[in-house]
Amino acid sequence: EAGVAQSPRYKIIEKRQSVAFWCNPISGHATLYWYQQILGQGPKLLIQFQNNGVVDDSQLPKDRFSAERLKGVDSTLKIQPAKLEDSAVYLCASSLAPTRHGGEVYEQYFGPGTRLTVT
Amino acid sequence: KQEVTQIPAALSVPEGENLVLNCSFTDSAIYNLQWFRQDPGKGLTSLLLIQSSQREQTSGRLNASLDKSSGRSTLYIAASQPGDSATYLCAVRPGRTSYGKLTFGQGTILTVHP
């Protein structure tokens, strides 16, 4: 079974430029997550999709970050314009559909991440 | 707001030593707790998941315990090996609100030297 794929693996841009990251989840996984991991910190959830709908984007800086998941499969995360503090690793994860009212909670599988450096 | 803290931030031990990593969380209303391993340049790999009704989980040389009422979890690694060197993260999933949303600690960087 192929894992979660992300590209690019590394990106260096100047502040105020724009950048986009791509994620391809595991086949059949309905839920997709984007996390931001700043050096020395744990990952922080930016946005969660269930199929192509947004479940949680409460920690997404919507003035500069946007994300979409067309057709409920691949997803892109965009930053425009980038700031120095956006330097981080952006992780994508996927899982089967979690249940809201308890029951089995499906494990999240993580991709290798994209390391973004903003200069 | 749930906060997760891991102690120590970094740990260096000789090969063969048994060790304990600590994780604490402020809101005890969790659905489950998960321990991950992160290798440089790679994503997270799930090690153990403990449901809120469970006290511990074991996998090979790893044992994780959960004391929900006190907001603590420990990851015990027996007979450590150089291949165990990585960053270890704990994360909790809330039991009452958003489903699937993990809150992570900042991690413990483990180095096991030969």
Side-chain angles (χ1 to χ4, degrees):
Chain A
E1 176 181 84
V4 177
Q6 291 188 246
S7 68
R9 293 295 311 277
Y10 306 92
K11 190 73 176 179
I12 301 174
I13 62 173
E14 295 181 351
K15 60 183 179 183
R16 291 188 289 275
Q17 287 187 324
S18 62
V19 64
F21 312 127
W22 174 82
C23 173
N24 180 241
I26 293 173
S27 177
H29 281 193
T31 309
L32 186 146
Y33 314 79
W34 282 103
Y35 290 87
Q36 180 193 57
Q37 185 176 22
I38 293 172
L39 186 65
Q41 299 181 17
K44 180 184 78 172
L45 180 71
L46 292 176
I47 189 167
Q48 176 181 342
F49 291 95
Q50 177 84 357
N51 296 307
N52 60 352
V54 175
V55 173
D56 186 340
D57 63 356
S58 57
Q59 298 189 98
L60 185 74
K62 298 180 184 65
D63 58 334
R64 297 184 301 105
F65 286 64
S66 65
E68 60 181 8
R69 191 182 184 198
L70 299 176
K71 300 181 181 179
V73 182
D74 294 4
S75 177
T76 56
L77 176 69
K78 297 179 181 178
I79 308 175
Q80 182 178 8
K83 293 185 176 181
L84 295 176
E85 57 261 36
D86 298 332
S87 294
V89 175
Y90 290 84
L91 296 164
C92 179
S94 71
S95 69
L96 294 169
T99 58
R100 184 181 291 277
H101 301 294
E104 185 173 356
V105 176
Y106 295 104
E107 182 176 354
Q108 293 182 25
Y109 294 84
F110 285 79
T114 296
R115 182 176 297 278
L116 173 67
T117 302
V118 182
T119 62
Chain B
K1 178 186 174 184
Q2 177 76 271
E3 292 184 1
V4 180
T5 303
Q6 292 186 243
I7 295 174
L11 183 63
S12 180
V13 300
E15 181 177 5
E17 193 162 298
N18 301 325
L19 56 98
V20 174
L21 307 181
N22 297 291
C23 172
S24 62
F25 45 95
T26 55
D27 186 347
S28 62
I30 64 169
Y31 189 81
N32 57 32
L33 181 144
Q34 205 162 353
W35 283 93
F36 293 86
R37 168 183 173 141
Q38 185 172 31
D39 293 282
K42 297 185 179 181
L44 279 64
T45 301
S46 179
L47 297 173
L48 290 164
L49 186 150
I50 310 177
Q51 299 291 0
S52 61
S53 59
Q54 297 175 320
R55 296 286 291 184
E56 65 179 317
Q57 280 287 335
T58 298
S59 176
R61 295 183 293 106
L62 305 179
N63 175 276
S65 66
L66 174 64
D67 183 344
K68 198 175 74 164
S69 61
S70 67
R72 296 174 188 272
S73 175
T74 61
L75 179 66
Y76 176 83
I77 302 177
S80 59
Q81 303 171 358
D84 294 330
S85 298
T87 298
Y88 290 80
L89 295 154
C90 75
V92 297
R93 182 175 281 108
R96 290 179 298 190
T97 56
S98 305
Y99 59 99
K101 179 178 179 177
L102 292 170
T103 300
F104 285 83
Q106 77 278 25
T108 293
I109 302 171
L110 173 65
T111 303
V112 181
H113 47 89

